């Protein structure tokens, strides 16, 4: 079991590294040379490079480092550990790829740059999110604000990216801005294809003898609501309780990992939910600790 877990961790780490390498390639080869606006920490790096001549990789590293420190206190150690690798290696990949001769002159066609840039950025972010990681930047801001407000992560990401894009609009022409919109659309589409059920919530049904432990961990660690229901197993006729919860897709990986660690024999079914209304989704979630007072 330990060897299997280590192998899975290694594969996840390699996926995060590959995702960040592809992200850096899309930015260096297509986004930056064409002057197409981009959101997130990379967008801030483009703004800083234009106005002050500071290298994009340095600004990205500084922004992500500051956000990582804030996230440590606001979100917690687990999230930071998953994001720290991207924070370090993404600026490194940016710097290394910029030194490759001819990489910034692959094409002078804005449409091709927008298409390939959007495809590579979407693929990279989808790969990292698929294994429960984060590319940093906008994701970190979204998670921090989501902790303190009823706004959803997706809404915050769009708001922050819109602000960053507005900064770049000052020195971008209308054609570049329009191609920037194409990049955003392509990125979103590709992420949804790479990450199963990318933008929807997920309903998870768990059947396990450790339902009490799972209930507590989902409430406290995953920070999601839980419903318990009485069941009778078909094979042994055993009376026990099932666990049902609905989580945003970015929490699905962490939930599956937690269930596997708590009870490797647990039975899970996962379904796509197209719309969710209630606390934690359309209304602010009440903390478990507050309910217990």
């Amino acid at each position: 079991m330990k060897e299997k877990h280590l192998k899975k961790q290694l594969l996840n780490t390699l996926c995060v590294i590959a995702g960040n390498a592809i992200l850096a390639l899309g930015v260096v080869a297509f986004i930056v040379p064409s002057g197409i606006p981009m959101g997130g920490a990379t967008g801030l790096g483009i703004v800083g490079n234009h106005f002050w001549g500071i290298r994009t990789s340095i600004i990205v590293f500084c922004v992500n480092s500051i956000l990582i420190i804030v996230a440590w206190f606001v979100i917690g150690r687990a999230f930071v550990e998953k994001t720290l690798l991207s924070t370090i290696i993404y600026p490194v990949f940016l710097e290394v790829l910029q030194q490759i001769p001819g990489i910034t002159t692959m094409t002078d066609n804005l449409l091709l740059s927008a298409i390939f840039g959007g495809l590579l950025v979407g693929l990279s972010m989808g790969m990292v999110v698929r294994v429960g990681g984060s590319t940093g930047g906008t994701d970190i801001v979204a998670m921090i604000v989501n902790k303190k407000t009823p706004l959803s992560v997706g809404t915050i990401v769009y708001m922050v990216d819109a602000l960053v894009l507005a900064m770049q609009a000052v020195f971008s022409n209308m054609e570049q801005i329009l191609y920037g919109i194409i990049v955003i659309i392509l990125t979103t589409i590709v992420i949804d294809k790479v990450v199963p059920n990318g933008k929807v919530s997920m309903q998870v049904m768990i059947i396990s003898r450790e339902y009490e432990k799972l209930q507590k961990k989902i409430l406290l660690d995953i920070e999601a609501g839980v419903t318990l229901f009485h069941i009778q197993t078909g094979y042994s006729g055993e009376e026990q309780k099932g666990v049902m919860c609905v989580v945003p897709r970015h929490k699905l990986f962490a939930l599956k990992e937690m269930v596997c660690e708590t009870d490797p024999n647990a039975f899970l079914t996962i379904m796509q939910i197209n719309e969710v209304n209630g606390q934690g989704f359309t209304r602010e979630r009440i903390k478990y600790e507050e309910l217990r007072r």
Side-chain angles (χ1 to χ4, degrees), residues 31-85:
I31 302 296
V32 172
S34 62
I36 296 175
M38 185 178 178
T42 305
L44 290 175
I46 294 173
V47 172
N49 179 261
H50 176 83
F51 285 112
W52 303 293
I54 305 173
R55 297 188 71 84
T56 303
S57 57
I58 295 176
I59 296 177
V60 170
F61 178 75
C62 292
V63 170
N64 282 343
S65 296
I66 293 171
L67 291 174
I68 277 288
I69 294 172
V70 176
W72 179 280
F73 295 101
V74 178
I75 302 177
R77 177 179 175 180
F79 176 81
V80 170
E81 287 177 346
K82 292 179 181 179
T83 310
L84 188 59
L85 179 59

Side-chain angles (χ1 to χ4, degrees), residues 252-266:
L252 180 60
F253 180 84
L255 175 61
K256 290 166 62 178
E257 288 286 285
M258 182 274 293
V259 173
C260 183
E261 291 175 2
T262 305
D263 181 8
N265 297 317

Side-chain angles (χ1 to χ4, degrees), residues 118-180:
L119 291 175
L120 290 175
V121 171
L123 173 63
S124 63
M125 295 180 70
M127 289 174 62
V128 176
V129 171
R130 187 184 180 98
V131 296
S134 167
T135 55
T138 303
D139 291 350
I140 302 178
V141 174
M143 296 297 290
I144 291 173
V145 177
N146 177 255
K147 273 279 187 177
K148 301 297 181 180
T149 71
L151 295 174
S152 68
V153 173
T155 299
I156 301 165
V157 168
Y158 288 133
M159 290 171 62
V160 175
D161 279 349
L163 179 61
V164 176
L165 288 173
M167 294 180 186
Q168 295 166 77
V170 175
F171 54 84
S172 301
N173 58 47
M174 183 54 67
E175 188 177 26
Q176 289 172 322
I177 294 172
L178 292 175
Y179 280 116

Side-chain angles (χ1 to χ4, degrees), residues 70-244:
V70 176
W72 179 280
F73 295 101
V74 178
I75 302 177
R77 177 179 175 180
F79 176 81
V80 170
E81 287 177 346
K82 292 179 181 179
T83 310
L84 188 59
L85 179 59
S86 294
T87 300
I88 296 171
I89 64 174
Y90 175 52
V92 172
F93 279 129
L94 281 177
E95 192 64 30
V96 171
L97 289 174
Q98 285 174 343
Q99 308 305 318
I100 299 177
I103 194 169
T104 59
T105 56
M106 293 178 65
T107 179
D108 57 359
N109 187 299
L110 280 176
L111 180 57
L112 285 176
S113 295
I115 292 174
F116 280 96
L119 291 175
L120 290 175
V121 171
L123 173 63
S124 63
M125 295 180 70
M127 289 174 62
V128 176
V129 171
R130 187 184 180 98
V131 296
S134 167
T135 55
T138 303
D139 291 350
I140 302 178
V141 174
M143 296 297 290
I144 291 173
V145 177
N146 177 255
K147 273 279 187 177
K148 301 297 181 180
T149 71
L151 295 174
S152 68
V153 173
T155 299
I156 301 165
V157 168
Y158 288 133
M159 290 171 62
V160 175
D161 279 349
L163 179 61
V164 176
L165 288 173
M167 294 180 186
Q168 295 166 77
V170 175
F171 54 84
S172 301
N173 58 47
M174 183 54 67
E175 188 177 26
Q176 289 172 322
I177 294 172
L178 292 175
Y179 280 116
I181 295 173
I182 292 177
V183 171
I184 294 173
I185 294 172
L186 282 175
T187 298
T188 302
I189 292 173
V190 175
I191 290 175
D192 287 346
K193 295 298 182 181
V194 176
V195 181
N197 308 303
K199 282 197 161 188
V200 298
S201 296
M202 311 302 296
Q203 178 178 292
V204 181
M205 202 85 71
I206 309 166
I207 299 176
S208 167
R209 291 188 175 91
E210 304 294 338
Y211 63 86
E212 291 182 338
K213 291 182 180 179
L214 292 173
Q215 175 194 12
K216 187 173 182 180
K217 288 185 177 182
I218 292 172
L219 288 168
L220 296 177
D221 298 342
I222 307 299
E223 294 188 335
V226 177
T227 298
L228 298 180
F229 55 95
H230 292 278
I231 61 170
Q232 182 181 47
T233 59
Y235 181 75
S236 62
E238 180 182 352
E239 296 281 350
Q240 62 183 59
K241 291 182 180 180
V243 180
M244 185 192 78

